[in-house]
Amino acid sequence: MAKSTARTIYVLNGPNLNLLGTREPHIYGRSSLKDVEKLCQKTAVAQGFVVEFRQSNHEGLIVDWIQEAGARKAAGIVFNPGGLTHTSVACHDAIKGINIPTIECHISNIHAREPWRNHSYISFAAKAVICGFGIQGYALAIDGLAALTAKKSKR
Ligand code: CA2
């Protein structure tokens, strides 16, 4: 049996997000993925959570991590799927296959960009979507998950 991690939030990042801060600063800002990780850790600790922060360029590995978060009964997932947002039925199905909330998070406003970025396979399965707040969106997503969890435990 997978070990329960009720106070853990998985923060999963998809393809090319390891390059954050190296190019296209007008779209993604100047912070690195390490900076995003530090922000997530700080925000989660303030809410009494711990963060499992990961990035991969490989779709199948991300599907494995979504299933892992579900099996370990994590508090939720903050997911920036990168380019997989616009292509991945597999990530959509993985999120549908677990019983914990997933918050889709984008640094840029995908609705104000190229038309093919306006569509997300992930949004159909996500509990909520945040985009356009820069890396601060990750902190907003963690605070949102904390609020959702608090509401649930009061019921
Ligand atoms: O705005 C976001 O967070 C995105 O998920 C980022 C993805 C993009 O494909 C989505 O449409 C929106 C791209 C991640 C790649 O990021 C880079 C950052 C700097 C340099 C190169 C790639």
Side-chain angles (χ1 to χ4, degrees), residues 15-17 19-20 22-24 28 80 82-83 85-86 106-108 110 113 117:
N16 296 307
L17 282 157
L19 298 176
L20 208 60
T22 65
R23 281 185 291 127
E24 303 192 272
Y28 300 116
N80 185 345
T85 307
H86 319 295
H106 300 282
I107 296 166
S108 65
I110 57 171
R113 299 184 62 191
R117 285 191 205 271

PDB file of all heavy atoms in Angstrom, residues 15-17 19-20 22-24 28 80 82-83 85-86 106-108 110 113 117, ligand 1:
ATOM      1  N   PRO A  15       7.364  19.754 -19.889  1.00  0.00           N
ATOM      2  CA  PRO A  15       8.505  19.967 -20.780  1.00  0.00           C
ATOM      3  C   PRO A  15       8.961  21.415 -20.894  1.00  0.00           C
ATOM      4  O   PRO A  15       8.137  22.331 -20.988  1.00  0.00           O
ATOM      5  CB  PRO A  15       7.982  19.469 -22.133  1.00  0.00           C
ATOM      6  CG  PRO A  15       6.968  18.439 -21.772  1.00  0.00           C
ATOM      7  CD  PRO A  15       6.335  18.916 -20.491  1.00  0.00           C
ATOM      8  N   ASN A  16      10.256  21.579 -20.886  1.00  0.00           N
ATOM      9  CA  ASN A  16      10.975  22.839 -21.129  1.00  0.00           C
ATOM     10  C   ASN A  16      10.929  23.828 -19.978  1.00  0.00           C
ATOM     11  O   ASN A  16      11.605  24.859 -20.027  1.00  0.00           O
ATOM     12  CB  ASN A  16      10.496  23.508 -22.436  1.00  0.00           C
ATOM     13  CG  ASN A  16      10.799  22.658 -23.641  1.00  0.00           C
ATOM     14  OD1 ASN A  16      11.948  22.260 -23.833  1.00  0.00           O
ATOM     15  ND2 ASN A  16       9.793  22.316 -24.426  1.00  0.00           N
ATOM     16  N   LEU A  17      10.170  23.520 -18.941  1.00  0.00           N
ATOM     17  CA  LEU A  17      10.112  24.478 -17.820  1.00  0.00           C
ATOM     18  C   LEU A  17      11.441  24.525 -17.054  1.00  0.00           C
ATOM     19  O   LEU A  17      11.690  25.478 -16.319  1.00  0.00           O
ATOM     20  CB  LEU A  17       8.925  24.177 -16.908  1.00  0.00           C
ATOM     21  CG  LEU A  17       7.618  24.705 -17.541  1.00  0.00           C
ATOM     22  CD1 LEU A  17       6.398  23.983 -17.008  1.00  0.00           C
ATOM     23  CD2 LEU A  17       7.478  26.216 -17.338  1.00  0.00           C
ATOM     24  N   LEU A  19      13.965  25.316 -18.458  1.00  0.00           N
ATOM     25  CA  LEU A  19      14.667  26.429 -19.122  1.00  0.00           C
ATOM     26  C   LEU A  19      14.207  27.801 -18.636  1.00  0.00           C
ATOM     27  O   LEU A  19      14.698  28.829 -19.118  1.00  0.00           O
ATOM     28  CB  LEU A  19      14.447  26.343 -20.642  1.00  0.00           C
ATOM     29  CG  LEU A  19      14.971  25.088 -21.337  1.00  0.00           C
ATOM     30  CD1 LEU A  19      14.594  25.107 -22.809  1.00  0.00           C
ATOM     31  CD2 LEU A  19      16.482  24.985 -21.167  1.00  0.00           C
ATOM     32  N   LEU A  20      13.270  27.787 -17.700  1.00  0.00           N
ATOM     33  CA  LEU A  20      12.696  29.047 -17.218  1.00  0.00           C
ATOM     34  C   LEU A  20      13.800  30.034 -16.794  1.00  0.00           C
ATOM     35  O   LEU A  20      14.748  29.644 -16.104  1.00  0.00           O
ATOM     36  CB  LEU A  20      11.795  28.725 -16.011  1.00  0.00           C
ATOM     37  CG  LEU A  20      10.629  29.661 -15.750  1.00  0.00           C
ATOM     38  CD1 LEU A  20       9.689  29.701 -16.935  1.00  0.00           C
ATOM     39  CD2 LEU A  20       9.878  29.188 -14.500  1.00  0.00           C
ATOM     40  N   THR A  22      15.860  31.529 -18.781  1.00  0.00           N
ATOM     41  CA  THR A  22      16.998  31.574 -19.719  1.00  0.00           C
ATOM     42  C   THR A  22      16.645  32.247 -21.046  1.00  0.00           C
ATOM     43  O   THR A  22      17.525  32.767 -21.725  1.00  0.00           O
ATOM     44  CB  THR A  22      17.537  30.157 -20.025  1.00  0.00           C
ATOM     45  OG1 THR A  22      16.513  29.426 -20.725  1.00  0.00           O
ATOM     46  CG2 THR A  22      17.923  29.414 -18.753  1.00  0.00           C
ATOM     47  N   ARG A  23      15.356  32.195 -21.427  1.00  0.00           N
ATOM     48  CA  ARG A  23      14.902  32.793 -22.692  1.00  0.00           C
ATOM     49  C   ARG A  23      13.479  33.321 -22.526  1.00  0.00           C
ATOM     50  O   ARG A  23      12.795  32.969 -21.564  1.00  0.00           O
ATOM     51  CB  ARG A  23      14.934  31.758 -23.834  1.00  0.00           C
ATOM     52  CG  ARG A  23      16.328  31.546 -24.396  1.00  0.00           C
ATOM     53  CD  ARG A  23      16.314  30.627 -25.596  1.00  0.00           C
ATOM     54  NE  ARG A  23      15.992  29.270 -25.239  1.00  0.00           N
ATOM     55  CZ  ARG A  23      15.028  28.531 -25.789  1.00  0.00           C
ATOM     56  NH1 ARG A  23      14.266  29.033 -26.740  1.00  0.00           N
ATOM     57  NH2 ARG A  23      14.816  27.301 -25.402  1.00  0.00           N
ATOM     58  N   GLU A  24      13.033  34.124 -23.493  1.00  0.00           N
ATOM     59  CA  GLU A  24      11.670  34.666 -23.531  1.00  0.00           C
ATOM     60  C   GLU A  24      11.232  35.305 -22.199  1.00  0.00           C
ATOM     61  O   GLU A  24      10.133  35.028 -21.711  1.00  0.00           O
ATOM     62  CB  GLU A  24      10.672  33.569 -23.943  1.00  0.00           C
ATOM     63  CG  GLU A  24      11.009  32.942 -25.298  1.00  0.00           C
ATOM     64  CD  GLU A  24       9.879  32.091 -25.830  1.00  0.00           C
ATOM     65  OE1 GLU A  24       9.835  30.891 -25.496  1.00  0.00           O
ATOM     66  OE2 GLU A  24       9.044  32.643 -26.570  1.00  0.00           O
ATOM     67  N   TYR A  28       7.822  34.813 -19.886  1.00  0.00           N
ATOM     68  CA  TYR A  28       7.886  33.967 -18.681  1.00  0.00           C
ATOM     69  C   TYR A  28       8.624  34.601 -17.504  1.00  0.00           C
ATOM     70  O   TYR A  28       8.712  33.996 -16.439  1.00  0.00           O
ATOM     71  CB  TYR A  28       8.543  32.625 -19.032  1.00  0.00           C
ATOM     72  CG  TYR A  28       7.783  31.861 -20.096  1.00  0.00           C
ATOM     73  CD1 TYR A  28       8.354  31.587 -21.334  1.00  0.00           C
ATOM     74  CD2 TYR A  28       6.478  31.423 -19.865  1.00  0.00           C
ATOM     75  CE1 TYR A  28       7.652  30.893 -22.313  1.00  0.00           C
ATOM     76  CE2 TYR A  28       5.777  30.737 -20.837  1.00  0.00           C
ATOM     77  CZ  TYR A  28       6.367  30.477 -22.061  1.00  0.00           C
ATOM     78  OH  TYR A  28       5.662  29.786 -23.024  1.00  0.00           O
ATOM     79  N   ASN A  80       1.776  22.582 -13.868  1.00  0.00           N
ATOM     80  CA  ASN A  80       2.047  23.354 -15.073  1.00  0.00           C
ATOM     81  C   ASN A  80       2.527  22.360 -16.132  1.00  0.00           C
ATOM     82  O   ASN A  80       3.683  21.945 -16.126  1.00  0.00           O
ATOM     83  CB  ASN A  80       3.101  24.437 -14.838  1.00  0.00           C
ATOM     84  CG  ASN A  80       3.282  25.304 -16.082  1.00  0.00           C
ATOM     85  OD1 ASN A  80       2.832  24.935 -17.174  1.00  0.00           O
ATOM     86  ND2 ASN A  80       3.929  26.441 -15.936  1.00  0.00           N
ATOM     87  N   GLY A  82       3.243  22.692 -19.177  1.00  0.00           N
ATOM     88  CA  GLY A  82       4.043  23.187 -20.298  1.00  0.00           C
ATOM     89  C   GLY A  82       3.313  22.928 -21.607  1.00  0.00           C
ATOM     90  O   GLY A  82       2.078  23.020 -21.682  1.00  0.00           O
ATOM     91  N   GLY A  83       4.034  22.532 -22.631  1.00  0.00           N
ATOM     92  CA  GLY A  83       3.438  22.280 -23.948  1.00  0.00           C
ATOM     93  C   GLY A  83       2.442  21.126 -23.954  1.00  0.00           C
ATOM     94  O   GLY A  83       1.593  21.040 -24.859  1.00  0.00           O
ATOM     95  N   THR A  85       0.013  20.823 -22.154  1.00  0.00           N
ATOM     96  CA  THR A  85      -1.311  21.431 -21.961  1.00  0.00           C
ATOM     97  C   THR A  85      -2.187  21.240 -23.194  1.00  0.00           C
ATOM     98  O   THR A  85      -3.372  20.920 -23.100  1.00  0.00           O
ATOM     99  CB  THR A  85      -1.147  22.969 -21.761  1.00  0.00           C
ATOM    100  OG1 THR A  85      -0.219  23.197 -20.717  1.00  0.00           O
ATOM    101  CG2 THR A  85      -2.480  23.639 -21.474  1.00  0.00           C
ATOM    102  N   HIS A  86      -1.556  21.453 -24.354  1.00  0.00           N
ATOM    103  CA  HIS A  86      -2.304  21.571 -25.606  1.00  0.00           C
ATOM    104  C   HIS A  86      -2.347  20.270 -26.413  1.00  0.00           C
ATOM    105  O   HIS A  86      -2.881  20.246 -27.514  1.00  0.00           O
ATOM    106  CB  HIS A  86      -1.671  22.697 -26.446  1.00  0.00           C
ATOM    107  CG  HIS A  86      -1.285  23.883 -25.611  1.00  0.00           C
ATOM    108  ND1 HIS A  86      -2.211  24.659 -24.957  1.00  0.00           N
ATOM    109  CD2 HIS A  86      -0.069  24.394 -25.265  1.00  0.00           C
ATOM    110  CE1 HIS A  86      -1.588  25.611 -24.280  1.00  0.00           C
ATOM    111  NE2 HIS A  86      -0.286  25.471 -24.449  1.00  0.00           N
ATOM    112  N   HIS A 106      -0.485  28.185 -15.161  1.00  0.00           N
ATOM    113  CA  HIS A 106       0.388  28.679 -16.232  1.00  0.00           C
ATOM    114  C   HIS A 106       0.966  30.031 -15.858  1.00  0.00           C
ATOM    115  O   HIS A 106       0.242  30.884 -15.330  1.00  0.00           O
ATOM    116  CB  HIS A 106      -0.393  28.829 -17.545  1.00  0.00           C
ATOM    117  CG  HIS A 106      -0.994  27.537 -18.013  1.00  0.00           C
ATOM    118  ND1 HIS A 106      -0.241  26.567 -18.636  1.00  0.00           N
ATOM    119  CD2 HIS A 106      -2.240  27.051 -17.902  1.00  0.00           C
ATOM    120  CE1 HIS A 106      -1.021  25.532 -18.907  1.00  0.00           C
ATOM    121  NE2 HIS A 106      -2.241  25.800 -18.465  1.00  0.00           N
ATOM    122  N   ILE A 107       2.209  30.199 -16.191  1.00  0.00           N
ATOM    123  CA  ILE A 107       2.885  31.472 -15.905  1.00  0.00           C
ATOM    124  C   ILE A 107       2.295  32.574 -16.783  1.00  0.00           C
ATOM    125  O   ILE A 107       2.000  33.668 -16.323  1.00  0.00           O
ATOM    126  CB  ILE A 107       4.401  31.314 -16.171  1.00  0.00           C
ATOM    127  CG1 ILE A 107       4.972  30.287 -15.175  1.00  0.00           C
ATOM    128  CG2 ILE A 107       5.125  32.646 -16.058  1.00  0.00           C
ATOM    129  CD1 ILE A 107       6.361  29.786 -15.536  1.00  0.00           C
ATOM    130  N   SER A 108       2.123  32.272 -18.055  1.00  0.00           N
ATOM    131  CA  SER A 108       1.585  33.257 -19.006  1.00  0.00           C
ATOM    132  C   SER A 108       0.069  33.098 -19.119  1.00  0.00           C
ATOM    133  O   SER A 108      -0.493  32.073 -18.695  1.00  0.00           O
ATOM    134  CB  SER A 108       2.228  33.054 -20.384  1.00  0.00           C
ATOM    135  OG  SER A 108       1.865  31.786 -20.919  1.00  0.00           O
ATOM    136  N   ILE A 110      -2.466  32.015 -21.264  1.00  0.00           N
ATOM    137  CA  ILE A 110      -2.537  31.226 -22.505  1.00  0.00           C
ATOM    138  C   ILE A 110      -3.685  31.674 -23.413  1.00  0.00           C
ATOM    139  O   ILE A 110      -3.692  31.353 -24.596  1.00  0.00           O
ATOM    140  CB  ILE A 110      -2.637  29.695 -22.223  1.00  0.00           C
ATOM    141  CG1 ILE A 110      -3.837  29.358 -21.345  1.00  0.00           C
ATOM    142  CG2 ILE A 110      -1.342  29.176 -21.616  1.00  0.00           C
ATOM    143  CD1 ILE A 110      -4.098  27.849 -21.209  1.00  0.00           C
ATOM    144  N   ARG A 113      -2.563  34.511 -26.071  1.00  0.00           N
ATOM    145  CA  ARG A 113      -1.415  34.154 -26.919  1.00  0.00           C
ATOM    146  C   ARG A 113      -1.889  33.512 -28.231  1.00  0.00           C
ATOM    147  O   ARG A 113      -3.004  33.762 -28.676  1.00  0.00           O
ATOM    148  CB  ARG A 113      -0.476  33.238 -26.122  1.00  0.00           C
ATOM    149  CG  ARG A 113       0.072  33.935 -24.856  1.00  0.00           C
ATOM    150  CD  ARG A 113       1.068  33.092 -24.114  1.00  0.00           C
ATOM    151  NE  ARG A 113       2.251  32.798 -24.938  1.00  0.00           N
ATOM    152  CZ  ARG A 113       3.186  31.899 -24.594  1.00  0.00           C
ATOM    153  NH1 ARG A 113       3.067  31.220 -23.465  1.00  0.00           N
ATOM    154  NH2 ARG A 113       4.216  31.684 -25.391  1.00  0.00           N
ATOM    155  N   ARG A 117      -2.770  27.908 -28.305  1.00  0.00           N
ATOM    156  CA  ARG A 117      -2.504  27.804 -26.861  1.00  0.00           C
ATOM    157  C   ARG A 117      -3.775  28.029 -26.044  1.00  0.00           C
ATOM    158  O   ARG A 117      -3.779  27.847 -24.829  1.00  0.00           O
ATOM    159  CB  ARG A 117      -1.449  28.832 -26.428  1.00  0.00           C
ATOM    160  CG  ARG A 117      -0.051  28.483 -26.822  1.00  0.00           C
ATOM    161  CD  ARG A 117       0.932  29.415 -26.131  1.00  0.00           C
ATOM    162  NE  ARG A 117       2.155  29.508 -26.880  1.00  0.00           N
ATOM    163  CZ  ARG A 117       3.204  28.691 -26.734  1.00  0.00           C
ATOM    164  NH1 ARG A 117       3.180  27.727 -25.839  1.00  0.00           N
ATOM    165  NH2 ARG A 117       4.282  28.847 -27.477  1.00  0.00           N
TER     166      ARG A 117
HETATM  167  O1  CA2 B   1       2.639  29.825 -19.422  1.00  0.00           O
HETATM  168  C1  CA2 B   1       2.973  28.687 -19.084  1.00  0.00           C
HETATM  169  O2  CA2 B   1       3.300  28.386 -17.947  1.00  0.00           O
HETATM  170  C2  CA2 B   1       3.051  27.566 -20.148  1.00  0.00           C
HETATM  171  O3  CA2 B   1       2.553  26.378 -19.550  1.00  0.00           O
HETATM  172  C3  CA2 B   1       4.517  27.433 -20.509  1.00  0.00           C
HETATM  173  C4  CA2 B   1       4.766  26.451 -21.660  1.00  0.00           C
HETATM  174  C5  CA2 B   1       3.865  26.748 -22.860  1.00  0.00           C
HETATM  175  O4  CA2 B   1       4.018  25.747 -23.853  1.00  0.00           O
HETATM  176  C6  CA2 B   1       2.401  26.835 -22.456  1.00  0.00           C
HETATM  177  O5  CA2 B   1       1.650  27.175 -23.590  1.00  0.00           O
HETATM  178  C7  CA2 B   1       2.203  27.877 -21.377  1.00  0.00           C
HETATM  179  C8  CA2 B   1       6.210  26.548 -22.150  1.00  0.00           C
HETATM  180  C9  CA2 B   1       7.223  26.215 -21.126  1.00  0.00           C
HETATM  181  C10 CA2 B   1       8.582  26.466 -21.692  1.00  0.00           C
HETATM  182  O6  CA2 B   1       9.143  27.540 -21.008  1.00  0.00           O
HETATM  183  C11 CA2 B   1      10.296  28.109 -21.470  1.00  0.00           C
HETATM  184  C12 CA2 B   1      10.786  29.137 -20.722  1.00  0.00           C
HETATM  185  C13 CA2 B   1      11.932  29.785 -21.119  1.00  0.00           C
HETATM  186  C14 CA2 B   1      12.591  29.393 -22.259  1.00  0.00           C
HETATM  187  C15 CA2 B   1      12.095  28.363 -23.023  1.00  0.00           C
HETATM  188  C16 CA2 B   1      10.939  27.700 -22.617  1.00  0.00           C
END
